[in-house]
Amino acid sequence: MTGRFPIEDVSPVVSCGRYPAKAVVDEPIPVSARAYREGHDALGCNVVWAGPDGASRPFTRMRPGEPGQDRWHATIAPDAVGPWTFSVEAFQDPYLTWQNAVTKKIAAGQGPEDLANDLAEGARVLAAAQDLVPTADRPRVADALTALVDTDLPLAQRVDRALALADLLWDHPVRELVTAGDTYSIWVDRKRALYSAWYEFFPRSEGAAGGRSGTFATATERLPGVAAMGFDVLYLPPIHPIGRVNRKGPNNALTAGPTDVGSPWAIGAAEGGHDTIHPDLGTPADFRAFIQAAAAQGLEVAMDLALQCAPDHPWVTEHPEWFTTRADGSIAYAENPPKKYQDIYPVNFDNDPEGIRAEVLRVVLHWVGEGIRIFRVDNPHTKPFDFWHWLIAEVKAVDPDVLFLAEAFTRPAIMHGLGKIGFTQSYTYFTWRTTAAEMRAYCEELIEAADYMRPNFWPNTPDILHESLQHGGPPMFKIRAVLAALLSPSWGLYAGYELFEHVARPGAEELLDNEKYQLRPRDWAGAEAQGRSLAPFLATLNRVRHDNPALHQLRNLRFHEIDNPALLCWSKHDPETGNTVIVICSFDSREVQWGNTTFDMPALGFDWHERFTVHDELTGTSYDWGQRNAVRLDPYLQPAHVLTVRRPTPPTEPQPAGAEPADLTVAEVPDDLSGGTAPTTPATTTTPATTTPATTTPATTTPATTTPATTTPAATTPATTTPATVASRLSAARSAAARSSRSAPTAPAPKDDRWTS
């Protein structure tokens, strides 16, 4: 160790400081360290941090954590894009040492004579403090010093003013024996690096007709629809010329017909390579106009960066050394057994690394010059890691706003490694976490990696159509959207999700008639007009994300206990604004599920005994909740509660002590018993009655308007009225309702017209 005091286990630090930690502008970054000293004198810690301009930011004092652990904590919030540095300092705090000694000795009955040395020490500390506090506070310190040395005053009056300086001298301490720890780095991106909503479409399919490709001009007509759903990043697959040699046909057929369009990832033909636009889509001017039109709708265009070539790419003839030659003299094509990609040649980065690096950097900066600031990188795990580390740093040196999304579904160590070396965001295993327990465990792993790996959750891609979507029906599309949009601050989906596209190619986990190999125009407006679109639901999710700053973060994700393994309960709380969102989501797309929550109340910003109001953003209903609540989720209505938390207001007319709520009648039993208490605001039902399964409670038992809006606060409810009492009344009322309706015929569950093959 170096210095007077040990400073250990500093966070955030990535790979012992080899790579910078990650943050975005104004993101609260938790900084912690373990620091301790010998003896009983007080230790203090602080964070010293500086921005890209090299200027130091205000002194940030650290607070001790759990007693006995010697862990210190602080939060900093960088306010500019670029490289930041920070270090932790430990120091002897003579004021805290003095304060602790004096208060204990006075409490033990010691007088001025016993405290003579302590009073003198206090005077020394205050004299030093006068030059450290703000000018406006210096008279307070001077008055305290004067009183402390005045032997004519009673002891209590001598020390009171000095003890009252505790908060001031916490923020502006006298520091002795200052020990500086190592300096670490944080790369700070713009906010979209952490919080974003992506939508992927193939521009060639938008406006395609009669086997003829769509263009950037026709794709522009789709932009308002994407923006209306609340997405802010529009990702385009490769827009370059497509090779003709070994071109694939529909559904990955080995032989393509004369009019087949081929895969956009088979990049390069006689028209050009990675720096060229496919002539069927338009000109460079058309592309710039498309980018501008997207920006006018609030959409930023992200571009695909796929470092691979079709056999007729110009690089193949100009630089054959950039590829791998097999024993028979042929160039190796891409394979992912059992998949074969005869239309794609991987680049070999070892044959001419300097030449390849220079060319790729030129290509990327070309598109940066065209207005692209986001790249979705195809299969980065198949290229050298030192290449990516170099390339990302070189690009950010030119424009630090450029972001890179790693499309890598591979071993965890590799996915984490890509995040460490500079990738801004990462695809994840979200798609394959299909139970509540799996999802919770995986998200907790991602929170642990939040200093360097930012997840982006996608329910589907052109390559991935999980069996849960193939067979789960429309409710599963809602479920996966809720999980993706509200667990992760960044999420995305591929076009067609809102139309419940679910029919898979036999033997493959991807769509039949895959858009990678053919045009796929869709009737967006017709689907919405006929109620066959999930677009309004997706718009609601993105509106909730936009309106609640707690959902813009990853580190604040907390899970809460719920006694049904088919349900997942989590929250996000933003201490800065007080905003809190609670989500309870079912993983069952077919059956109604009940559960009982047990909240970690401090994680919600409440004390353990408090009650509060939650407002369901999906149904418009509000509930009075506390630590424990009952929930009921029907996948054919809404498979999730998305709840914004509202702090209670004092009642204007509290019930007198001893008063009990009137017994519930059958007509007053709410259809939705989520929370174990009646809704405080009537639900606004938007789901047509024809979609309600026959197993739901008859509507005659649930007139929501009979529920009074002024629910009695828990603090005024007498002890004799317990949850069990209310529950017993509800049970009795339910039983009576059931007896009165046994003779009623039961209609079969209606068919959902949106779910057809």
Side-chain angles (χ1 to χ4, degrees):
M1 61 174 283
T2 57
R4 181 65 171 78
F5 306 117
I7 301 173
E8 306 168 349
D9 301 331
V10 178
S11 175
V13 175
V14 178
S15 296
C16 300
R18 182 178 183 183
Y19 306 112
K22 287 192 178 75
V24 300
V25 172
D26 295 332
E27 178 186 3
I29 305 173
V31 178
S32 66
R34 193 179 308 281
Y36 48 91
R37 65 164 301 164
E38 81 293 342
H40 301 289
D41 286 356
L43 187 72
C45 290
N46 63 269
V47 181
V48 176
W49 50 304
D53 57 1
S56 295
R57 295 309 192 256
F59 177 102
T60 302
R61 186 78 186 260
M62 304 180 78
R63 294 190 175 275
E66 185 178 346
Q69 299 302 309
D70 295 305
R71 194 82 188 163
W72 299 79
H73 302 270
T75 300
I76 60 176
D79 58 6
V81 171
W84 289 68
T85 61
F86 78 96
S87 63
V88 173
E89 294 178 338
F91 58 89
Q92 178 171 275
D93 189 330
Y95 175 81
L96 283 183
T97 301
W98 175 84
Q99 178 194 54
N100 184 53
V102 166
T103 53
K104 287 183 177 179
K105 290 180 180 181
I106 292 177
Q110 296 185 24
E113 297 79 8
D114 302 308
L115 293 174
N117 288 324
D118 297 277
L119 297 174
E121 173 63 15
R124 181 190 72 79
V125 173
L126 294 188
Q130 288 186 98
D131 296 330
L132 301 175
V133 301
T135 302
D137 292 304
R138 290 177 182 177
R140 288 181 57 203
V141 179
D143 289 345
L145 176 57
T146 299
L148 198 61
V149 299
D150 189 345
T151 58
D152 293 332
L153 292 176
L155 178 60
Q157 293 183 28
R158 292 180 66 180
V159 301
D160 278 352
R161 295 181 190 179
L163 293 175
L165 298 174
D167 288 342
L168 178 63
L169 296 187
W170 175 269
D171 294 330
H172 307 278
V174 176
R175 302 192 306 155
E176 299 174 344
L177 304 177
V178 176
T179 301
D182 293 335
T183 298
Y184 300 99
S185 58
I186 301 175
W187 177 268
V188 177
D189 285 303
R190 56 191 173 111
K191 292 185 178 181
R192 185 152 287 169
L194 176 64
Y195 169 69
S196 55
W198 293 53
Y199 186 89
E200 176 183 2
F201 75 48
F202 287 65
R204 70 183 187 181
S205 288
E206 301 301 326
R212 185 173 56 195
S213 170
T215 66
F216 287 127
T218 59
T220 300
E221 299 176 10
R222 176 60 181 150
L223 297 178
V226 177
M229 289 186 287
F231 293 97
D232 48 43
V233 176
L234 177 64
Y235 157 53
L236 305 181
I239 59 173
H240 314 299
I242 298 172
R244 296 177 178 84
V245 176
N246 296 337
R247 177 175 289 190
K248 293 294 187 73
N251 291 307
N252 203 28
L254 286 176
T255 303
T259 61
D260 288 334
V261 293
S263 169
W265 281 272
I267 297 171
E271 297 87 350
H274 283 75
D275 57 355
T276 309
I277 292 173
H278 197 301
D280 287 353
L281 294 175
T283 66
D286 295 331
F287 183 52
R288 288 190 288 270
F290 178 80
I291 294 174
Q292 293 172 359
Q297 294 288 336
L299 292 163
E300 181 173 0
V301 174
M303 190 173 183
D304 198 277
L305 179 61
L307 299 182
Q308 58 203 33
C309 301
D312 39 337
H313 190 294
W315 288 354
V316 176
T317 55
E318 296 171 5
H319 296 282
E321 71 276 11
W322 290 359
F323 304 92
T324 299
T325 303
R326 299 173 64 87
D328 62 0
S330 64
I331 294 178
Y333 58 76
E335 294 185 74
N336 184 16
K339 296 180 180 179
K340 293 184 177 182
Y341 304 95
Q342 296 90 340
D343 54 339
I344 293 174
Y345 287 171
V347 175
N348 186 325
F349 286 78
D350 294 323
N351 291 347
D352 179 19
E354 291 186 3
I356 294 173
R357 286 187 175 195
E359 175 65 359
V360 173
L361 179 60
R362 183 193 68 80
V363 167
V364 173
L365 293 180
H366 165 77
W367 294 113
V368 171
E370 292 291 303
I372 297 298
R373 295 294 184 277
I374 304 179
F375 292 90
R376 178 269 197 189
V377 180
D378 189 69
N379 288 324
H381 58 292
T382 62
K383 286 79 178 175
F385 297 98
D386 63 333
F387 162 76
W388 291 122
H389 189 211
W390 170 85
L391 178 69
I392 293 172
E394 290 291 318
V395 173
K396 284 185 173 290
V398 175
D399 189 337
D401 280 345
V402 178
L403 312 178
F404 294 86
L405 168 62
E407 186 260 352
F409 302 102
T410 182
R411 301 190 301 280
I414 295 177
M415 295 173 70
H416 284 253
L418 291 168
K420 292 177 181 178
I421 63 175
F423 276 93
T424 314
Q425 294 184 5
S426 304
Y427 279 70
T428 67
Y429 296 128
F430 165 81
T431 305
W432 298 277
R433 299 298 184 263
T434 57
T435 70
E438 290 174 343
M439 189 66 74
R440 174 172 178 169
Y442 185 53
C443 287
E444 288 173 340
E445 291 177 16
L446 293 174
I447 295 170
E448 290 295 318
D451 290 335
Y452 59 84
M453 182 177 175
R454 301 189 188 105
N456 195 324
F457 283 0
W458 288 66
N460 74 326
T461 75
D463 287 313
I464 300 170
L465 179 69
H466 191 269
E467 63 179 358
S468 61
L469 295 179
Q470 296 176 30
H471 309 299
M476 185 57 73
F477 279 74
K478 280 188 172 183
I479 289 169
R480 300 304 294 186
V482 168
L483 293 169
L486 303 181
L487 280 169
S488 172
S490 286
W491 81 299
L493 53 80
Y494 157 57
Y497 190 91
E498 62 268 52
L499 302 186
F500 309 101
E501 292 180 354
H502 67 284
V503 180
R505 182 162 62 90
E509 194 181 55
E510 62 182 36
L511 281 171
L512 183 66
D513 300 329
N514 197 297
E515 196 170 0
K516 290 194 305 179
Y517 306 105
Q518 63 188 74
L519 303 176
R520 193 174 180 130
R522 300 173 175 92
D523 183 7
W524 304 109
E528 286 202 45
Q530 298 171 26
R532 295 184 293 105
S533 174
L534 196 60
F537 184 80
L538 300 175
T540 296
L541 291 181
N542 279 327
R543 175 190 60 78
V544 173
R545 284 167 47 86
H546 178 272
D547 294 346
N548 291 276
L551 297 174
H552 301 182
Q553 303 172 38
L554 174 64
R555 291 183 174 94
N556 63 348
L557 176 60
R558 298 292 181 272
F559 291 96
H560 302 267
E561 299 307 316
I562 191 163
D563 62 1
N564 184 339
L567 304 179
L568 185 64
C569 178
W570 72 91
S571 70
K572 291 193 173 186
H573 173 67
D574 178 28
E576 182 73 18
T577 62
N579 176 240
T580 305
V581 178
I582 300 170
V583 184
I584 304 168
C585 187
S586 176
F587 279 66
D588 187 341
S589 65
R590 302 191 183 279
E591 302 293 337
V592 173
Q593 295 291 339
W594 285 80
N596 297 285
T597 69
T598 302
F599 287 142
D600 176 353
M601 296 293 282
L604 302 178
F606 292 101
D607 202 350
W608 293 101
H609 67 280
E610 290 188 86
R611 296 192 69 79
F612 50 90
T613 299
V614 292
H615 179 75
D616 195 325
E617 299 290 340
L618 300 184
T619 65
T621 306
S622 295
Y623 306 98
D624 173 48
W625 271 19
Q627 183 189 13
R628 294 181 173 85
N629 314 276
V631 296
R632 175 184 184 274
L633 293 174
D634 185 337
Y636 293 97
L637 298 176
Q638 292 294 1
H641 281 310
V642 178
L643 307 165
T644 49
V645 176
R646 300 172 181 177
R647 287 192 171 272
T649 56
T652 55
E653 296 182 6
Q655 281 190 311
E660 292 190 16
D663 287 345
L664 292 173
T665 65
V666 170
E668 292 173 325
V669 178
D671 186 51
D672 184 354
L673 291 181
S674 295
T677 58
T680 60
T681 303
T684 302
T685 304
T686 57
T687 305
T690 56
T691 64
T692 306
T695 55
T696 57
T697 304
T700 56
T701 67
T702 318
T705 55
T706 63
T707 304
T710 56
T711 304
T712 304
T716 64
T717 304
T720 55
T721 304
T722 65
T725 305
V726 176
S728 65
R729 294 183 192 148
L730 295 177
S731 178
R734 282 283 191 206
S735 299
R739 288 194 299 272
S740 66
S741 62
R742 279 175 186 162
S743 59
T746 301
K751 179 181 179 181
D752 193 328
D753 293 334
R754 297 172 298 182
W755 193 243
T756 59
S757 298

